[in-house]
Structure formats: structure tokens, C-alpha cells
């Protein structure tokens, strides 16, 4: 039903939106210690945050933190704060972590990368932490020296068992080749694909043990980009993006689109730092947003926020993403990135975590539709930000923020006011 608004009501709404945009809509709640080492240049690649899994089954989604040397689970309280639930020290450079019910008992478990070439299972003790499983999940059959940068745990083939896509770029073995479907590609341009067998077991697909992804992949995200009910995958390396479209009825995860937002020119250096998805132009399609930087003489470094419009004509057709000409220049590296509607209007907004070494830790860009945004309002946390996630921490139907403070190895929680 369409409700007709009076001019006075529209003016009131516009004034309220303008006033809203001039102030940060968030207040600091608490810090959560990550443990371990997180500080590194452009440290969004050095930490992980997961939000959305209810590990203790109390009806509230919980938070997982992962540094290079520790994993911790914090359970959500009714007021939006989090308390420590379980943690374990880890070692090595791999920082991948995933959560979900892998053994079929309806209690979410953890998968944690264990260098150099395995994923360790931590079984949920049904409300009392996790127990490490002595039997690790080895990626050895699909790579000799993998360094696990990220992993996805999701049901890609709709058999009610969680599957794994693991980014193990194997830098010590850059030339190993695979032939799949008549095409040959290198190990460094692929990810391991393992199907869930139930009871915590996984097995590589005999025909397609690997799937093509961005070269030397760093991060991966699950997204139903074309709203066909199948979970798709977007991966990024330092300079490129690769999308896998899920055709589970006829072939599983298949390469659909590659994008190169950062030049591979030898005189230009750059990296993709953050990736997020959401409807940014109110056409009910999920678009793509990235943060990246370039370092090109003589202009030097530039930090930017870039958008790709989802123009896919039909769920069963190949993805079509078109770069929007409007880009936003950021004041610092944008390690964290999320799409969320923080001002409760008709448009999604952008939240960026800044590695600023100063007051502006988070920049909030209120969306106006059509990939245009208001000037940023900042949250002055006084720290450099790494990865961030958003979610409704206190059940008030507004997006809250968890962001890594990479200066002090902790996570800052901000609640929507």
C-alpha cells in the first residue's frame, strides 16, 4: 500500500535526516581484548571478526575474534555488550576462522586454520566452550605448502551439510597447475573446495578439488549476489576480484566474473583492502563496494571507496557488475568496510574503518541513492581501525559496530544511539 505524505511531513523528514547526518549516530560501549599480535601495515588482512553465529544458543548472535596468535569467542548480552566465553592461543601466519554446526548436533562449532596446511575442528561443548578435535582437516591433497588466508563455511549444494571454500594460496609453490573442465590454471589462482559429509567430515570434490579465484587470494565472502537462493562467492587478492556463481544443480561454484579495480602496471602499486555488498541504489539488487589504495608516482598514495552496480538481468544469467564513475576519496586506508542503513531512511549507507593513526577511526557515509553519499561523519576513537562488522547487538533493530583497534590488539564495540 502506498501512503501519500504531505509536503510538511516530507520537509520534516528531510530536516531530520540532515540533522541526523551531521552527528555520529554511535556511542562507545566497551573494548574486548583480542590477544596476540595484530599490528601490521594495512592490518585489515591480519585480523578476522565474525558475527552472526549463536554459539551458546541463547537467541543472540555472538562475536569471534582472530589474531595471528589467538582465537576468542565473546557471547552477546541483552544490552549489546559481550562477555568472554572461550579462547585458545594459536600460532603461525594463517588467520582463517569459520563458525557453524559441522557435526550435526545443532550446536555451532569452530574451524580454525592451523599452519602450515590444515584446519582444526573445535567441537562445541553445548554451552561450555569448545574441545579441539585431534583429527585435523588437512588441505595437503590440494596443495603442498598452503598458507590459509581465509575460509568460508556454508551449505553451497543445499544438502543440509556445511561445505568449505579455503583460500590457501600456497606462496611456496606458485607454479603448481590444475586441469579442471579442460582448463588449466595455477594453484595460486584457486581455492580448495571440500564438501561436507556429515559428522564433521569433509572431502574434496573428486572432479573439481579446486575452484578458480583471484590470484593469490586474501579474502572471501558468501553472498547471494543474484537472489536465486544459491550462495555465491566473491574473493579478492591485492589487485583483483573474482566472483563464483553457484550452479549447484549443474556444476557447483563456477567462475562468472573477474574485475581489476587496481592497476597491475609495474609503476603503480595498490591493494584492495575491504569488500562489502548491499543494495546501494534502491533497485533491490546487491551491489559491490570496495576500499583500495594506489601508490603511483608522482602523485603518491591515494585511498578510495569504489562501487560496482549490479546489472545482472536474470538470476540464471551471468553476473553483470558495472563500475560506477563516482568514487569517494578516503583520508586514510579503509581497512574495514560495511554496508548498513544506520539512519533508517530509504537508502543504505557506508561504514569505513580507517587506519588513520589519529582521531578518525570510523567514517560514516549516509547514502542518498544512486551511489551518492553525504560528506562523512566520523567516530573519533583515537585508534587505527582494522576489520569491522555490523549487526544488531542489542536487539533494537539498528546496526551496531564492532571494529578492530589494531594499535592495542582489541575490539571496540559501538552501539547505535
Amino acid at each position: 500500500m502506498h501512503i501519500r505524505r504531505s509536503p510538511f511531513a516530507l520537509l520534516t523528514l528531510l530536516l531530520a535526516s540532515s540533522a541526523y547526518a551531521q552527528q555520529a549516530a554511535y556511542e562507545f560501549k566497551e573494548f574486548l581484548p583480542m590477544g596476540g599480535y595484530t599490528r601490521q601495515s594495512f592490518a585489515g588482512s591480519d585480523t578476522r571478526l565474525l558475527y552472526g553465529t549463536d554459539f551458546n544458543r541463547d537467541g543472540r548472535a555472538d562475536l569471534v575474534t582472530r589474531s595471528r596468535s589467538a582465537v576468542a569467542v565473546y557471547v552477546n548480552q541483552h544490552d549489546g555488550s559481550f562477555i568472554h566465553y572461550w579462547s585458545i592461543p594459536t600460532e603461525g601466519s594463517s588467520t582463517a576462522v569459520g563458525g557453524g554446526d559441522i557435526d550435526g548436533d545443532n550446536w555451532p562449532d569452530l574451524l580454525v586454520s592451523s599452519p602450515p596446511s590444515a584446519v582444526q575442528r573445535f567441537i562445541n561443548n553445548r554451552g561450555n566452550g569448545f574441545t579441539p578435535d585431534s583429527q585435523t582437516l588437512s588441505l595437503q591433497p590440494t596443495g603442498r605448502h598452503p598458507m590459509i588466508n581465509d575460509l568460508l563455511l556454508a551449505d553451497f549444494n543445499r544438502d543440509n551439510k556445511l561445505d568449505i571454500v579455503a583460500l590457501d594460496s600456497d606462496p611456496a609453490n606458485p607454479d603448481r597447475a590444475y586441469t579442471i573442465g579442460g582448463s588449466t590454471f595455477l594453484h595460486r589462482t584457486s581455492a580448495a573446495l571440500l564438501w561436507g559429509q556429515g559428522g564433521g567430515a569433509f572431502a574434496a570434490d573428486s572432479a573439481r578439488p579446486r575452484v578458480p579465484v583471484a590470484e593469490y587470494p586474501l579474502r572471501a565472502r558468501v553472498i547471494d549476489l543474484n537472489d536465486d537462493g544459491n550462495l555465491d562467492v566473491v574473493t579478492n587478492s591485492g589487485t583483483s576480484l573474482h566472483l563464483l556463481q553457484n550452479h549447484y544443480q549443474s556444476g557447483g561454484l563456477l567462475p562468472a566474473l573477474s574485475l581489476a579495480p587496481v592497476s597491475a602496471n609495474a609503476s603503480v602499486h595498490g591493494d584492495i583492502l575491504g569488500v562489502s555488498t548491499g543494495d546501494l541504489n534502491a533497485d533491490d539488487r546487491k551491489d559491490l563496494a570496495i576500499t583500495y589504495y594506489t601508490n603511483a608516482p608522482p602523485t603518491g598514495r591515494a585511498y578510495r571507496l569504489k562501487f560496482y552496480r549490479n546489472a545482472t538481468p536474470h538470476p540464471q544469467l551471468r553476473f553483470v557488475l558495472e563500475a560506477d564513475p563516482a568514487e569517494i576519496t578516503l583520508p586514510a586506508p579503509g581497512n574495514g568496510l560495511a554496508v548498513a542503513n544506520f539512519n533508517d531512511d530509504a537508502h543504505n549507507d557506508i561504514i569505513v574503518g580507517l587506519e588513520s593513526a589519529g582521531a578518525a577511526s570510523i567514517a560514516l557515509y549516509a547514502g542518498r541513492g544512486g551511489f551518492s553519499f553525504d560528506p562523512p561523519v566520523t567516530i573519533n576513537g583515537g585508534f587505527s581501525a582494522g576489520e569491522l562488522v555490523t549487526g544488531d547487538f542489542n536487539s533494537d533493530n539498528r546496526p551496531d559496530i564492532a571494529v578492530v583497534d589494531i594499535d592495542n590488539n582489541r575490539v571496540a564495540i559501538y552501539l547505535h544511539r
Side-chain angles (χ1 to χ4, degrees), residues 244-326:
L244 302 175
Q245 190 165 354
N246 191 342
H247 300 275
Y248 83 95
Q249 303 96 329
S250 58
L253 296 170
L254 301 176
L257 185 64
S258 295
L259 302 169
V262 180
S263 172
N265 190 301
S267 64
V268 178
H269 178 70
D271 276 308
I272 298 170
L273 304 176
V275 179
S276 188
T277 59
D279 183 6
L280 296 172
N281 59 346
D283 65 353
D284 294 324
R285 294 174 177 174
K286 297 181 182 69
D287 307 299
L288 192 67
I290 69 166
T291 55
Y292 72 100
Y293 89 97
T294 57
N295 189 7
T299 57
R301 291 194 175 189
Y303 311 106
R304 293 189 175 91
L305 176 60
K306 185 179 183 67
F307 309 103
Y308 289 90
R309 181 177 68 88
N310 188 344
T312 306
H314 187 277
Q316 301 305 318
L317 301 180
R318 290 172 63 90
F319 296 140
V320 178
L321 292 181
E322 298 175 348
D324 190 83

Side-chain angles (χ1 to χ4, degrees), residues 378-396:
T378 59
I379 296 176
N380 298 327
F383 58 83
S384 287
E387 186 171 48
L388 65 81
V389 295
T390 60
D392 184 7
F393 301 160
N394 56 356
S395 302
D396 65 354

Side-chain angles (χ1 to χ4, degrees), residues 184-380:
T184 300
F185 55 93
L186 298 177
H187 184 284
R188 66 173 184 258
T189 63
S190 65
L193 174 61
L194 301 104
W195 300 114
Q197 308 297 300
F202 297 87
D205 189 304
S206 58
R208 298 179 66 246
R210 306 195 70 81
V211 291
V213 294
E215 186 172 26
Y216 289 121
L218 296 173
R219 300 302 308 273
R221 285 166 177 78
V222 175
I223 181 70
D224 181 5
L225 193 60
N226 56 346
D227 291 318
D228 65 350
N230 298 334
L231 297 178
D232 310 304
V233 174
V234 55
T235 69
N236 73 275
S237 65
T239 59
S240 63
L241 296 147
H242 199 95
L243 285 83
L244 302 175
Q245 190 165 354
N246 191 342
H247 300 275
Y248 83 95
Q249 303 96 329
S250 58
L253 296 170
L254 301 176
L257 185 64
S258 295
L259 302 169
V262 180
S263 172
N265 190 301
S267 64
V268 178
H269 178 70
D271 276 308
I272 298 170
L273 304 176
V275 179
S276 188
T277 59
D279 183 6
L280 296 172
N281 59 346
D283 65 353
D284 294 324
R285 294 174 177 174
K286 297 181 182 69
D287 307 299
L288 192 67
I290 69 166
T291 55
Y292 72 100
Y293 89 97
T294 57
N295 189 7
T299 57
R301 291 194 175 189
Y303 311 106
R304 293 189 175 91
L305 176 60
K306 185 179 183 67
F307 309 103
Y308 289 90
R309 181 177 68 88
N310 188 344
T312 306
H314 187 277
Q316 301 305 318
L317 301 180
R318 290 172 63 90
F319 296 140
V320 178
L321 292 181
E322 298 175 348
D324 190 83
E327 292 191 3
I328 294 175
T329 298
L330 302 173
N335 287 325
L337 177 63
V339 176
N341 189 350
F342 61 73
N343 58 2
D344 199 28
D345 63 2
H347 307 294
N348 276 328
D349 313 305
I350 297 290
I351 303 174
V352 182
L354 298 173
E355 188 175 348
S356 59
S361 302
I362 300 174
L364 308 170
Y365 294 85
R368 294 181 295 192
F371 301 99
S372 63
F373 297 84
D374 287 338
V377 175
T378 59
I379 296 176
N380 298 327

Side-chain angles (χ1 to χ4, degrees), residues 48-311:
R48 295 291 184 272
L49 288 180
L50 295 180
Y51 175 78
T53 303
D54 181 9
F55 287 100
N56 61 343
R57 293 182 58 182
D58 64 352
R60 293 185 290 267
D62 305 316
L63 185 70
V64 181
T65 70
R66 176 73 158 103
S67 70
R68 286 195 170 206
S69 51
V71 176
V73 176
Y74 289 89
V75 293
N76 193 345
Q77 305 301 288
H78 69 280
D79 60 352
S81 62
F82 293 83
I83 61 172
H84 180 265
Y85 180 69
W86 176 87
S87 59
I88 191 170
T90 60
E91 58 180 298
S93 57
S94 296
T95 53
V97 62
D101 178 20
I102 63 173
D103 59 358
D105 66 353
N106 295 319
W107 285 80
D109 311 298
L110 279 173
L111 289 179
V112 179
S113 57
S114 176
S117 60
V119 176
Q120 188 167 14
R121 298 177 292 195
F122 290 86
I123 304 302
N124 196 322
N125 290 330
R126 304 193 179 196
N128 190 30
F130 301 84
T131 298
D133 190 334
S134 59
Q135 185 179 18
T136 62
L137 174 66
S138 176
L139 298 181
Q140 207 74 9
T142 53
R144 291 180 294 181
H145 305 289
M147 181 175 70
I148 306 169
N149 289 321
D150 207 357
L151 61 85
L152 301 177
L153 191 59
D155 183 8
F156 291 109
N157 59 354
R158 291 190 179 186
D159 65 352
N160 296 316
K161 300 181 184 70
L162 293 178
D163 311 304
I164 295 175
V165 172
L167 304 185
D168 57 334
S169 58
D170 202 352
N173 184 24
D175 296 320
R176 184 168 182 179
Y178 291 85
T179 300
I180 296 175
S183 299
T184 300
F185 55 93
L186 298 177
H187 184 284
R188 66 173 184 258
T189 63
S190 65
L193 174 61
L194 301 104
W195 300 114
Q197 308 297 300
F202 297 87
D205 189 304
S206 58
R208 298 179 66 246
R210 306 195 70 81
V211 291
V213 294
E215 186 172 26
Y216 289 121
L218 296 173
R219 300 302 308 273
R221 285 166 177 78
V222 175
I223 181 70
D224 181 5
L225 193 60
N226 56 346
D227 291 318
D228 65 350
N230 298 334
L231 297 178
D232 310 304
V233 174
V234 55
T235 69
N236 73 275
S237 65
T239 59
S240 63
L241 296 147
H242 199 95
L243 285 83
L244 302 175
Q245 190 165 354
N246 191 342
H247 300 275
Y248 83 95
Q249 303 96 329
S250 58
L253 296 170
L254 301 176
L257 185 64
S258 295
L259 302 169
V262 180
S263 172
N265 190 301
S267 64
V268 178
H269 178 70
D271 276 308
I272 298 170
L273 304 176
V275 179
S276 188
T277 59
D279 183 6
L280 296 172
N281 59 346
D283 65 353
D284 294 324
R285 294 174 177 174
K286 297 181 182 69
D287 307 299
L288 192 67
I290 69 166
T291 55
Y292 72 100
Y293 89 97
T294 57
N295 189 7
T299 57
R301 291 194 175 189
Y303 311 106
R304 293 189 175 91
L305 176 60
K306 185 179 183 67
F307 309 103
Y308 289 90
R309 181 177 68 88
N310 188 344

